[in-house]
Amino acid sequence: MKKSVFQLIIIILIAFQTQAQEVLKLEEAVKIALQNNYDIQIASNNLKIDNANSSAGNAGMLPNITANIVNTNSLQNITQTQSDGTQKSLNGAKNLSLNYGVNLGWTVFDGLKMFAKREQLKVLEQQGEANLKLTIFSKISDVYTTYFDLVQQQQQLVALDSTLKLSTQRLKRAQNRFNIGKASKLEVLNAQVDLNTDSSLQLSQLNSYRNTKTHLNEIIARDSSIDFMVEAESPSEELLKLEDLKTLARKQNPQLQSQILAKKSSDLQLKQIKSGRYPTLIINSGYNINRTEASLGFITQSQGQGFTYGFSASVPIFNGFYQSRNEKIAKLQVENSAIVVKQQEETLDSQLNSTFQSYQTNLQLTNVEKNNLEIAKQNLDITLSKFKIGTITPIDYRTAQLNYVNALVRYSNAQFQTKLNEITLKELAGSLKL
């Protein structure tokens, strides 16, 4: 009797604790993950790096302007012999050379390499956006999956709580019947064993539930000790259509888009390498000031300033087949990129087909298990009524009780599996809500 009272206290405490917890909505969990998740933060910073790299200057399209100053001083012992044979000597002669100015160098033609480089940097920026989207979808998919796992575990806990209460009432009834001599000790012991079994199942499920909550806190990158509840029901969604999903996937799937952009980047890399066959033209200009001083000589001081300008040009003639080798390698890389895109498209179609088949199967299972749950609940209610008036045995009552729990677990699992398929399909189609 003391044991059953203690178990009843546990139920009450769990119920009280559940009521005191905050309810974490799915939208809120997604919002927290977008703000806090470490992988998303890293991918976001990588995109910022790509944004910074995507510039005309980084592509080599802008001139280089430098300011220079060179100051050279010396102290020397100098002896000079003039053309008439006379000699001049000076110890500690001081010499000065000072040059300073601004210079410009600008590559105005490099076989159009700079334009291909500029376009490639834009493609890499777009690829960074696709990679960020892929990371976000992956992490938000984890949030969805874990959240709905908690929903189904929470539903199972409710069922186990109800079962535990019924088992407690059954034990109390058996003890009362035993006390007045209408039941044997065996009936009491059987009721106690069943109650202990239900308590064990509830504690195991509760432990799994708490561990899953800790995991969700980890995914959304907040304190793992924060306690919460999830919404009791999964939000209903409209039925998905395979052809619509395939159309969206071709346009929006981040992984496929990343591979397509990688193929485009390989094409532009080939253009840059081919530019090595063309001449390069660089113009130079500047404004410089120079000054020299010498303690001994015909000219003791000199100063000049003015513009300088000119150009340099180079034409490749032969470089040991280095150019041909690089072009051959680049063409093979372009070919590999095209193969990867084709492979990704086929993989995507295969994933959509198999996941959609599972989605349809689990939809059917959900309907079957929902109907079975309703029947099991009716059977439990009728059996409980008959058990109270003593027209059926405890074994029959226990069977109905287990049938109801098992039906609820199967229904909950079918709902969860359907949700998992739905999340995967939307992730593949690039239409997962953020």
Side-chain angles (χ1 to χ4, degrees):
M1 185 65 182
K2 290 181 181 179
K3 195 170 185 178
S4 58
V5 171
F6 175 72
Q7 290 166 334
L8 186 58
I9 291 174
I10 291 177
I11 297 173
I12 295 173
L13 289 175
I14 292 173
F16 177 78
Q17 183 183 11
T18 300
Q19 291 176 358
Q21 293 170 357
E22 66 162 316
V23 177
L24 178 66
K25 295 184 178 181
L26 179 60
E27 295 81 5
E28 184 181 354
V30 170
K31 181 180 179 181
I32 296 173
L34 289 174
Q35 293 174 345
N36 296 347
N37 183 269
Y38 299 119
D39 290 334
I40 293 177
Q41 291 181 31
I42 292 172
S44 179
N45 286 337
N46 288 336
L47 176 58
K48 291 177 182 178
I49 293 173
D50 293 333
N51 292 338
N53 284 330
S54 181
S55 64
N58 197 29
M61 302 178 73
L62 301 180
N64 293 319
I65 300 176
T66 58
N68 302 298
I69 181 169
V70 178
N71 184 13
T72 304
N73 297 273
S74 65
L75 291 172
Q76 296 178 330
N77 297 327
I78 300 175
T79 299
Q80 293 182 350
T81 300
Q82 306 296 320
S83 59
D84 59 0
T86 62
Q87 288 187 342
K88 292 182 178 180
S89 298
L90 180 64
N91 294 329
K94 184 178 180 181
N95 298 295
L96 167 69
S97 176
L98 176 64
N99 293 276
Y100 58 94
V102 179
N103 296 286
L104 177 146
W106 194 351
T107 302
V108 294
F109 183 76
D110 60 356
L112 304 179
K113 178 181 179 180
M114 65 180 73
F115 295 99
K117 178 67 173 179
R118 180 73 178 98
E119 187 64 26
Q120 186 185 38
L121 291 173
K122 292 180 180 178
V123 170
L124 292 175
E125 184 179 9
Q126 295 172 355
Q127 194 172 5
E129 293 174 355
N131 290 335
L132 173 60
K133 190 175 181 181
L134 178 62
T135 302
I136 290 174
F137 276 2
S138 175
K139 295 306 170 184
I140 299 308
S141 175
D142 291 343
V143 172
Y144 272 66
T145 299
T146 309
Y147 189 92
F148 290 125
D149 189 10
L150 285 172
V151 171
Q152 65 113 5
Q153 289 192 44
Q154 197 166 273
Q155 292 172 347
Q156 293 178 12
L157 274 174
V158 171
L160 290 172
D161 286 344
S162 300
T163 301
L164 194 57
K165 291 175 184 177
L166 292 175
S167 295
T168 302
Q169 294 174 4
R170 176 189 162 197
L171 176 59
K172 183 178 179 181
R173 177 180 175 83
Q175 288 172 333
N176 291 337
R177 284 167 51 82
F178 175 73
N179 291 336
I180 63 175
K182 289 189 175 182
S184 65
K185 184 65 175 179
L186 181 60
E187 182 178 335
V188 176
L189 293 175
N190 285 334
Q192 183 66 65
V193 169
D194 292 338
L195 177 59
N196 291 342
T197 300
D198 293 339
S199 298
S200 177
L201 289 173
Q202 186 203 46
L203 290 173
S204 296
Q205 184 61 54
L206 187 60
N207 181 63
S208 176
Y209 178 65
R210 288 170 176 167
N211 288 339
T212 306
K213 286 197 291 185
T214 300
H215 181 52
L216 181 57
N217 279 331
E218 178 186 359
I219 293 174
I220 63 179
R222 69 174 186 176
D223 189 349
S224 60
S225 64
I226 295 178
D227 203 2
F228 62 93
M229 286 182 60
V230 294
E231 294 180 301
E233 297 292 335
S234 303
S236 59
E237 300 282 350
E238 61 181 13
L239 294 178
L240 302 177
K241 297 180 180 179
L242 182 59
E243 293 305 316
D244 293 343
L245 291 169
K246 286 186 176 181
T247 301
L248 289 173
R250 293 284 180 171
K251 297 178 181 179
Q252 301 179 170
N253 180 269
Q255 194 167 4
L256 177 59
Q257 294 305 311
S258 179
Q259 297 297 346
I260 292 174
L261 290 169
K263 163 67 168 57
K264 190 174 181 180
S265 179
S266 297
D267 291 334
L268 293 168
Q269 183 65 28
L270 176 59
K271 286 185 178 181
Q272 293 179 61
I273 292 175
K274 284 184 175 180
S275 69
R277 293 185 176 275
Y278 299 92
T280 299
L281 176 63
I282 302 174
I283 60 174
N284 304 286
S285 180
Y287 187 86
N288 293 278
I289 300 173
N290 60 79
R291 178 186 173 191
T292 60
E293 294 181 4
S295 299
L296 185 67
F298 291 106
I299 301 175
T300 59
Q301 183 174 334
S302 174
Q303 183 172 326
Q305 63 185 43
F307 285 101
T308 61
Y309 56 90
F311 72 91
S312 63
S314 62
V315 180
I317 297 176
F318 180 74
N319 61 359
F321 304 107
Y322 182 80
Q323 178 69 29
S324 299
R325 185 191 67 183
N326 284 348
E327 287 184 15
K328 183 177 180 180
I329 293 173
K331 288 177 181 178
L332 290 173
Q333 290 174 336
V334 170
E335 184 179 342
N336 282 343
S337 298
I339 294 172
V340 171
V341 171
K342 183 65 176 177
Q343 181 185 37
Q344 185 62 38
E345 289 175 345
E346 293 180 356
T347 300
L348 186 58
D349 282 342
S350 176
Q351 290 175 330
L352 284 170
N353 287 329
S354 60
T355 307
F356 189 78
Q357 180 61 49
S358 298
Y359 169 72
Q360 288 184 312
T361 301
N362 283 310
L363 276 176
Q364 296 173 352
L365 283 173
T366 300
N367 292 330
V368 171
E369 295 299 344
K370 181 180 180 181
N371 182 56
N372 190 43
L373 177 61
E374 292 174 354
I375 295 173
K377 182 64 171 64
Q378 293 176 9
N379 182 54
L380 178 61
D381 292 339
I382 294 172
T383 305
L384 178 59
S385 299
K386 290 185 176 182
F387 179 69
K388 287 180 178 179
I389 62 177
T391 58
I392 62 172
T393 65
I395 294 177
D396 293 332
Y397 173 68
R398 180 62 177 176
T399 300
Q401 192 180 16
L402 292 177
N403 286 340
Y404 170 71
V405 174
N406 291 334
L408 190 143
V409 170
R410 289 197 305 271
Y411 174 60
S412 178
N413 286 335
Q415 284 184 309
F416 178 55
Q417 292 302 320
T418 303
K419 274 294 177 186
L420 289 184
N421 296 144
E422 181 183 301
I423 293 167
T424 302
L425 288 170
K426 289 183 176 181
E427 183 181 0
L428 292 172
S431 61
L432 196 61
K433 292 181 181 178
L434 304 180

